Amino acid sequence: GPLVAAAVEAAGRLAPSAEALEALRWSLNLIARILGRVVTEGSTLTMRAICTNRAKQVRQAMKCAPRGERSEWVLSVKVGSETISPLMWAIDKENLEAAEAILRDLLTIRADRDRYYFGADAIFSRHPDIVRRLRLDAPSLLWTLLDGLIWRSGKVEGGRRRAVYFCKHLLVRQDGTAATFVEDICSSMDVKLVCHPMAAHIIDLVWTRVATRTLLPRILLLMVAVVTFTISQAVLDRHVYEVAEGHSLFTRLA
């Protein structure tokens, strides 16, 4: 290309030999082809919209995606042999407005005649550590994620509104191990975030279903130890003292 030709022409004056100049031309051509391929394959509608960091542009780009492929457009873009996530790329580049638009779109429930579409499974399958990443790089998006995992009915019955909490991925990972959601939320040191309905619900579930069974036997053992210590120090010690005093008095009378 013109850029490679100009670079080779400028370096021709300093090249020690024609072979070195040809090697430089070959290297620059290879780099140019690689960069061109990356730009061509990675320049999707969503990537171009993310670069603008405008929510409106991101929503318009995602409208072109079918319902079943919506998550793939913003979670997995293949460039050559590598796969990148536009969502994480937006967070790394601090394009938070675009990242928020992606999260809101993925966590919107859609449906057709065959099935429902909800992007929570796709998000946690692609990024199991998304809560930790958001806590470290974009704390404001944690509210967007947690709000999107709660469905609230539009009807109010008896002063109450039905709600569904999609908390599976915040409790258990795909491999069956415990998720680190509670640890991540506590590490944020954000009092308001801990009081979020989803966070409070998860903490209550972990405490009542898991932690209580493990902690209660230890508390009982501790209480038994405290009662035993109290009796030994406050009752038995006094009794031994009185007995000792009685023996000493009896010895004096004798």
Side-chain angles (χ1 to χ4, degrees):
L3 180 61
V4 174
V8 171
E9 182 180 356
R13 305 171 184 176
L14 304 176
S17 63
E19 295 180 353
L21 188 62
E22 186 63 25
L24 177 62
R25 178 183 285 107
W26 182 86
S27 300
L28 293 178
N29 282 326
L30 178 62
I31 294 173
R33 287 196 299 269
I34 293 174
L35 292 177
R37 182 180 177 185
V38 170
V39 172
T40 302
E41 295 185 4
S43 182
T44 61
L45 289 175
T46 53
M47 292 296 287
R48 289 198 295 266
I50 290 172
C51 291
T52 64
N53 194 25
R54 298 177 63 181
K56 183 178 180 180
Q57 297 285 345
V58 175
R59 288 193 296 267
Q60 289 179 351
M62 295 185 68
K63 285 181 180 179
C64 300
R67 291 189 181 95
E69 301 177 4
R70 216 173 182 95
S71 59
E72 296 181 3
W73 279 41
V74 293
L75 294 178
S76 180
V77 174
K78 191 172 183 180
V79 180
S81 59
E82 299 294 330
T83 302
I84 64 174
S85 171
L87 174 60
M88 284 299 138
W89 187 80
I91 294 174
D92 292 337
K93 297 299 181 181
E94 297 184 357
N95 294 343
L96 300 185
E97 184 178 349
E100 181 179 359
I102 292 174
L103 284 176
R104 290 186 182 278
D105 189 272
L106 289 176
L107 297 176
T108 300
I109 299 177
R110 296 178 174 86
D112 54 23
R113 295 191 300 176
D114 296 330
R115 53 172 294 188
Y116 286 94
Y117 299 93
F118 186 54
D121 293 339
I123 291 175
F124 286 94
S125 297
R126 183 73 173 87
H127 304 292
D129 60 339
I130 187 171
V131 175
R132 180 168 298 178
R133 290 290 304 274
L134 293 180
R135 177 178 66 84
L136 296 175
D137 300 332
S140 61
L141 296 183
L142 270 176
W143 289 87
T144 304
L145 177 65
L146 298 181
D147 288 340
L149 293 175
I150 302 177
W151 174 84
R152 297 177 176 87
S153 174
K155 297 180 180 180
V156 179
E157 300 177 358
R160 297 184 178 183
R161 178 181 296 177
R162 291 187 301 164
V164 178
Y165 289 73
F166 298 92
C167 56
K168 177 181 69 174
H169 298 288
L170 302 180
L171 291 170
V172 183
R173 295 173 177 167
Q174 289 186 338
D175 56 359
T177 58
T180 59
F181 174 76
V182 177
E183 178 183 353
D184 294 333
I185 291 297
C186 294
S187 300
S188 66
M189 305 296 290
D190 189 345
V191 179
K192 294 183 179 180
L193 184 61
V194 174
C195 295
H196 189 278
M198 175 61 79
H201 181 65
I202 295 295
I203 293 173
D204 290 340
L205 284 178
V206 172
W207 172 252
T208 56
R209 304 290 180 87
V210 180
T212 303
R213 299 178 182 179
T214 305
L215 189 61
L216 189 58
R218 298 181 182 180
I219 295 177
L220 292 177
L221 289 176
L222 179 62
M223 293 179 61
V224 171
V226 170
V227 171
T228 304
F229 177 79
T230 303
I231 294 176
S232 64
Q233 296 297 319
V235 179
L236 295 180
D237 186 58
R238 180 178 179 182
H239 178 69
V240 171
Y241 177 77
E242 291 178 353
V243 172
E245 287 292 327
H247 279 294
S248 61
L249 181 61
F250 178 77
T251 302
R252 291 176 184 177
L253 291 177

